[in-house]
């Protein structure tokens, strides 16, 4: 039974049983505590917690998930995958334990011809929380499971909570017994790979507080509305139903594995280490494909870093399988073909997806080449010094700074007959992980407890009137101070105000929040920020500037009209620039993020190279032509599917409801899903002036523009600057570029002549320097400051010449100079000095320490530098001291 067929049967079954079928949410979650949708329940958290009323009493879905906390286990076990699909059925205060158990057991054990999955009950085991007698009894009475197939387990496996105050409850899991060939008897309690968990039923029935750990907390009482949260692992069910040993051999994953086998020329099943690598490739390529399809792009932080790590692990695994060249063109195409039936977007958006994948592979292959060069030098230096081990710090530098995998460092070192100080490397890695975990915990601690908004959200959604009105009368539904609900707030306090209606725009979709005030009888509030802490609820962060505000009082929101006008201009300008980019570059130049505020817009888009000046001018001209043409701006509220069918573009990672707001500028020329505020006609934008274009990742670019009066003021300032230059240089405006180029050429020629004079002056000092050599210990030493020098190369050249003049006796030359505003010390040694133990690299480090910097190099020539040029005499003295102590 194919994976897509299993999912279809699941959804059909629950739809027939009164469940609303909910589409999968994006892998990119808007939960600030998470980078990705890591579990099937993530999109339903507002409903499960009661923060937001559920729009349906029962639902079912097939949710895409990404989880990388067990990434090192991928390929080693039959069930660990970074991308997985979680089939779930949900009850929000509707049915509870009995219904959940009946639904699960019936679907699993019903014959295929009746739409079921046809599991033999004799192959299934059940676990329950050790104190949950109710569930234990229901498995017997409802499903007919015998006592010897039901096991009671503790909180660590059969109790669910988020680790934060809120809902929690016992859970019950269904396991499939793969048979004695896969492990010992004894049921799921043996924690063996023989028993594969395929379905988890969470009975969310308690409210917890005083959470000390995930399994240590106080139960406040039962929830007023008990919920059901279940998850059936689609990949796990698929590998069982398809009669294969693991998820990597299922129909959606195996084709990539087979393609990797063909590219490598090796055999799957012949070598355990190779098998793990093949599975890593198959899993990571599919995960990367799905992340790219949801708008994640490779980068060095956040979600983009996780994607980059997955892609680079796949490239590394192919290299360890003997393939050094590019493979993504074939591997990603194969994964696309395997996944397109379930997720058509991987085919319809293939051009953009493949562009990112191939660009990332090309970049990393260059990184590997560069890292190999650095590592080769480290190997050579280690061998030359008689060492047998590469320092852990060097291996970590390669990993952390250059993205060079430790596996390859170990492999190359082993080929050279060396080892790597793995303990030191691991220590540095642990320190880095500890910092990352501390940052994540801090971020989690900083999250507001959204339960405080629950009662307020239960009164209904905040009505936004700001599309048509700049003032709206309402009433104060709630007040929060420091996250705690209060009855009133007084002058000087910072508070959150919840209103029934508001004309103030809450930050979203790239548009920053409105400025304005909230006024009422005897009080005035300055609006500092407007946000949506939970879906559908608007919170105004305010400072009470006058009087006292209380719950239940009348309140009028007043929008700063000038700021809103400029913000509308910037947001509409963003849409115009997006359309111009697609006109100029093609349909793959899709939005990757934006920011617009009064007078300014920033737009990120998918593109792999810098834009030429001509292209930037063309984009600017198209955008301003659209302004000139006074295009009509219209908005419509319609069904999401209808909007997509009309060609409306959606922002990747943005959550959309069943109905959406579509904004057209000039009809279909610019058609996007957008909840922001806009001008009525394009001419109201006024003017768009592109002021910047830069890279924001391997395959993303950013354009920035000033809009309206801000654009005019910027151009006026440039005009004044040009006028000043024409006056100062006594040159007509059109001849300014040539005149400035002429002055630059003259300056460069003068600098070259000065450098030649300085070099000749240094060379003239050669006899005096050589003649002034002193004896330090057993060495003839020249340690002098040259004052200033044009370049470090000049200092090095002079030091080598002085050394040559000193003959065959052990000689060390250390010359210092200020190059620009930075001090430099060059140390050179001859063969006799090196034989006596003098190493230029060691001496240069000693000098650099005195200069407040760093240095090093070879034994014969080395260089140090720093920040304190006044310390050059001390630095040269440090060289002498080191030689005297030798």
């Amino acid at each position: 039974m194919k994976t897509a067929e299993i999912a279809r049967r699941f959804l059909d079954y629950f739809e027939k049983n009164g469940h609303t079928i909910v589409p999968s949410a994006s892998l990119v979650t808007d939960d600030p505590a998470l980078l990705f949708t890591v579990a099937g329940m993530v999109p339903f958290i507002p409903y499960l917690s009661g923060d937001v009323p559920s729009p349906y009493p029962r639902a079912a879905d097939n949710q895409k998930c990404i989880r990388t906390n067990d990434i090192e286990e991928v390929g080693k076990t039959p069930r660990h995958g970074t991308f997985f699909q979680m089939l779930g059925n949900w009850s929000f205060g509707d049915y509870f334990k009995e219904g959940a158990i009946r639904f699960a057991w019936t679907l699993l054990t019903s014959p295929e011809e009746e739409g079921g999955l046809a599991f033999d009950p004799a192959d299934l085991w059940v676990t329950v929380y050790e104190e949950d007698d109710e569930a234990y009894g229901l498995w017997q009475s409802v499903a007919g499971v015998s006592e010897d197939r039901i096991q009671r387990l503790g909180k660590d496996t059969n109790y669910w909570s988020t680790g934060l105050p809120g809902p929690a409850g016992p859970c019950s899991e269904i396991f499939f017994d793969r048979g004695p060939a896969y492990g010992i008897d004894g049921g799921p309690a043996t924690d063996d790979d023989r028993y594969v968990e395929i379905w988890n039923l969470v009975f969310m029935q308690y409210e917890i507080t005083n959470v000390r750990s995930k399994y240590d907390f106080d139960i406040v009482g039962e929830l007023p509305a008990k919920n059901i949260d279940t998850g059936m692992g689609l990949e796990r069910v698929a590998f069982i139903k398809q009669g294969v040993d693991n998820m990597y051999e299922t129909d959606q994953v195996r084709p990539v594995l087979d393609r990797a086998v063909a590219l490598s020329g090796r055999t799957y099943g012949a070598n355990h280490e190779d098998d793990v690598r093949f599975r890593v490739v198959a899993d990571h390529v599919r995960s990367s494909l799905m992340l790219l399809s949801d708008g994640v792009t490779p980068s060095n932080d956040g979600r983009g870093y996780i994607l980059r790590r997955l892609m680079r692990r796949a490239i590394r695994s192919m290299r360890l399988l003997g393939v050094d060249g590019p493979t993504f063109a074939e591997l990603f195409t194969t994964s696309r073909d395997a996944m397109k039936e379930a997720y058509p977007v991987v085919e319809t958006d293939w051009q953009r997806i493949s562009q990112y994948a191939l660009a990332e592979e090309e970049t990393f292959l260059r990184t590997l080449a560069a890292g190999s060069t650095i590592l080769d030098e480290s190997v050579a230096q280690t061998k030359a010094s008689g060492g047998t081990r590469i320092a852990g710090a060097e291996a970590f530098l390669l990993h952390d700074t250059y993205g060079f995998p430790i596996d390859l460092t170990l492999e190359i070192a082993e080929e050279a007959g060396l080892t790597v100080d793995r303990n030191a490397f691991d220590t540095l890695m642990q320190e880095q992980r500890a910092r990352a975990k501390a940052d994540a915990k801090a971020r989690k601690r900083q999250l507001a407890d959204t339960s405080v908004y629950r009662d307020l959200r239960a009164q209904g959604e905040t009505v936004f009137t700001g599309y048509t009105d700049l003032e709206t009368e309402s009433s104060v539904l709630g007040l929060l101070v420091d996250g705690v609900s209060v009855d009133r707030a007084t002058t000087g306090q910072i508070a959150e105000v919840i209103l029934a209606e508001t004309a103030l725009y809450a930050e979203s979709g790239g548009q920053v929040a409105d400025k304005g005030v909230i006024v009422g009888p005897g009080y005035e509030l300055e609006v500092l920020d407007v946000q949506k802490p939970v879906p559908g609820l608007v919170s105004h962060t305010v400072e009470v500037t006058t009087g006292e505000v209380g719950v239940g009082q009348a309140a009028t929101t007043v929008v700063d009209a000038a700021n809103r006008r400029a913000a509308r201009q910037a947001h509409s300008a963003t849409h115009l620039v997006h359309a111009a980019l697609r006109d100029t570059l093609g349909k793959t130049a899709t939005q990757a993020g934006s920011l617009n505020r009064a007078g300014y817009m920033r737009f990120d888009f998918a593109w792999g190279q810098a834009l030429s000046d001509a292209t930037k001018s063309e984009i600017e001209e198209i955008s301003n032509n659209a302004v000139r043409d006074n295009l009509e701006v219209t908005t419509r509220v319609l069904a999401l599917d209808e909007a997509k069918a009309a060609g409306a573009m959606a922002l990747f990672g943005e959550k959309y409801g069943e109905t959406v707001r579509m904004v057209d500028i000039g009809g279909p020329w610019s058609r996007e899903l957008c909840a922001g505020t806009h001008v009525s006609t394009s001419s109201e934008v006024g003017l768009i002036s592109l002021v910047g274009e830069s890279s924001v990742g391997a395959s993303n670019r950013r354009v920035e523009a000033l809009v309206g009066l801000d654009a005019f003021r910027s151009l006026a300032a440039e005009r004044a600057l040009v006028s000043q230059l024409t006056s100062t240089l006594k040159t007509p405006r059109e001849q300014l570029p040539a005149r400035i180029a002429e002055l630059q050429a003259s300056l460069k020629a003068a600098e070259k002549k000065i450098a030649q004079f300085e070099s000749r002056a240094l060379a003239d000092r050669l006899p005096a320097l050589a003649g002034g050599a002193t004896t330090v210990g057993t060495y003839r030493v020249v340690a002098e400051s040259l004052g200033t020098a044009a370049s470090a190369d000049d200092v090095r050249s002079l030091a080598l010449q002085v050394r040559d003049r000193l003959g065959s006796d052990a000689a060390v030359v250390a010359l210092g100079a200020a190059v620009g505003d930075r001090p430099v010390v060059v140390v050179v040694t001859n063969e006799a000095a090196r034989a006596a133990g003098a190493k230029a690299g060691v001496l240069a480090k000693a000098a650099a320490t005195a200069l407040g910097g760093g240095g090093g190099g070879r034994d014969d020539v080395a260089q140090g530098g720093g920040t304190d040029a006044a310390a050059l005499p001390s630095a040269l003295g440090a060289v002498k001291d080191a030689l005297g102590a030798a």
Side-chain angles (χ1 to χ4, degrees), residues 823-851:
V824 170
V825 172
V826 174
V827 181
V828 298
T829 61
N830 63 10
E831 186 176 348
R834 292 192 294 276
K839 295 182 178 180
V842 174
L843 298 171
K845 284 183 179 179
T849 300
L851 295 173

Side-chain angles (χ1 to χ4, degrees), residues 101 105 121 124-130 132-153 158 171-175 186-189:
I101 288 171
W105 194 257
L124 301 178
W125 288 68
V126 172
T127 64
V128 298
Y129 176 51
E130 57 192 359
D132 193 353
D133 295 333
E134 181 186 5
Y136 190 92
L138 286 170
W139 278 112
Q140 296 175 72
S141 62
V142 173
V145 181
S146 60
E147 286 189 21
D148 63 338
R149 289 275 174 156
I150 307 173
Q151 294 184 326
R152 295 178 183 263
L153 299 177
N158 279 68
C171 59
S172 183
E173 298 173 330
I174 304 172
F175 289 79

Side-chain angles (χ1 to χ4, degrees), residues 682-713:
S682 62
S683 62
E684 294 177 38
V685 171
L687 180 65
I688 301 171
S689 174
L690 291 187
V691 293
E693 191 270 339
S694 59
S695 170
V696 285
S699 301
N700 275 344
R701 305 295 298 181
R702 168 176 293 170
V703 291
E704 298 174 87
L706 297 176
V707 181
L709 277 176
D710 287 73
F712 172 78
R713 294 185 185 109

Side-chain angles (χ1 to χ4, degrees), residues 397-699:
L397 178 70
L398 279 166
H399 164 84
D400 193 51
T401 303
Y402 298 98
F404 199 79
I406 183 61
D407 292 17
L408 289 183
T409 301
L410 293 170
E411 175 191 349
I412 292 171
E414 184 179 358
E415 289 173 357
L418 301 175
T419 61
V420 175
D421 187 347
R422 188 62 190 265
N423 288 336
F425 174 86
D426 290 341
T427 298
L428 291 168
M429 284 296 295
Q430 287 168 6
E431 290 173 357
Q432 184 189 62
R433 288 174 182 145
R435 288 192 296 271
K437 285 181 180 178
D439 178 64
K441 286 181 179 178
R443 188 169 63 245
K444 193 171 184 179
R445 283 194 298 269
Q446 291 165 4
L447 297 177
D449 180 3
T450 58
S451 63
V452 73
Y453 302 104
R454 187 178 303 160
D455 293 339
L456 297 167
R457 180 61 179 80
Q459 299 179 48
E461 291 194 30
T462 307
V463 177
F464 176 61
T465 63
Y467 292 131
T468 56
D469 301 324
L470 295 181
E471 290 190 19
T472 293
E473 294 181 358
S474 186
S475 59
V476 179
L477 298 181
L479 286 167
L480 303 174
V481 175
D482 295 329
V484 178
S485 181
V486 297
D487 291 331
R488 58 194 59 254
T490 60
T491 302
Q493 282 191 298
I494 305 296
E496 287 183 71
V497 180
I498 312 297
L499 306 174
E501 301 88 16
T502 183
L504 290 155
Y505 184 80
E507 180 179 354
S508 62
Q511 182 175 335
V512 302
D514 273 335
K515 295 180 179 179
V517 295
I518 301 174
V519 296
Y523 70 83
E524 180 170 322
L525 316 175
E526 180 187 356
V527 176
L528 307 177
D529 194 12
V530 191
Q531 296 289 334
K532 294 180 180 178
V534 296
L537 188 75
V538 174
S539 170
H540 310 77
T541 300
V542 302
E543 181 179 358
V544 184
T545 54
T546 304
E548 180 179 87
V549 58
V551 174
Q553 286 187 301
T556 300
T557 53
V558 182
V559 178
D560 182 325
N563 183 76
R564 167 70 76 81
R565 185 184 309 112
R568 289 203 318 262
Q569 290 175 309
H571 202 154
S572 296
T574 304
H575 286 221
L576 296 178
V577 170
H578 188 189
L581 278 163
R582 289 168 66 84
D583 272 2
T584 306
L585 303 177
K587 303 306 180 186
T588 60
T590 52
Q591 183 171 357
S594 67
L595 173 70
N596 30 80
R597 60 173 184 262
Y600 170 85
M601 59 140 289
R602 184 181 81 199
F603 188 83
D604 298 347
F605 59 99
W607 199 250
Q609 58 190 23
L611 303 184
S612 67
D613 290 340
T615 299
K616 287 183 284 188
S617 295
E618 184 178 0
I619 292 165
E620 189 176 56
E621 183 174 351
I622 292 172
S623 302
N624 283 295
N625 283 343
V627 173
R628 176 204 62 194
D629 292 342
N630 197 28
L631 303 174
E632 184 180 11
V633 180
T634 60
T635 61
R636 285 182 284 165
V637 177
L638 64 170
L640 177 60
D641 290 343
E642 186 181 350
K644 287 183 175 179
M649 286 180 290
L651 178 62
F652 284 115
E654 191 77 12
K655 293 184 74 172
Y656 298 99
E658 293 182 4
T659 59
V660 294
R661 183 169 180 262
M662 186 170 76
V663 177
D664 286 1
I665 304 180
W669 181 67
S670 169
R671 176 168 287 168
E672 300 189 34
L673 302 183
C674 181
T677 62
H678 288 274
V679 297
S680 299
T681 62
S682 62
S683 62
E684 294 177 38
V685 171
L687 180 65
I688 301 171
S689 174
L690 291 187
V691 293
E693 191 270 339
S694 59
S695 170
V696 285
S699 301

Side-chain angles (χ1 to χ4, degrees), residues 373-383 390-391 394 398 418:
T373 301
I374 295 168
L375 183 54
D376 288 345
E377 184 176 339
S378 181
V379 167
Q381 289 183 359
T382 302
K383 284 187 168 183
I390 293 173
E394 292 188 37
L398 279 166
L418 301 175

Side-chain angles (χ1 to χ4, degrees), residues 717-735:
E718 288 186 10
R719 181 178 61 189
L721 179 61
V722 170
S723 177
Q724 183 180 356
L725 286 171
T726 58
S727 176
T728 301
L729 299 178
K730 296 180 174 53
T731 303
R733 184 178 63 177
E734 61 274 11
Q735 294 178 18

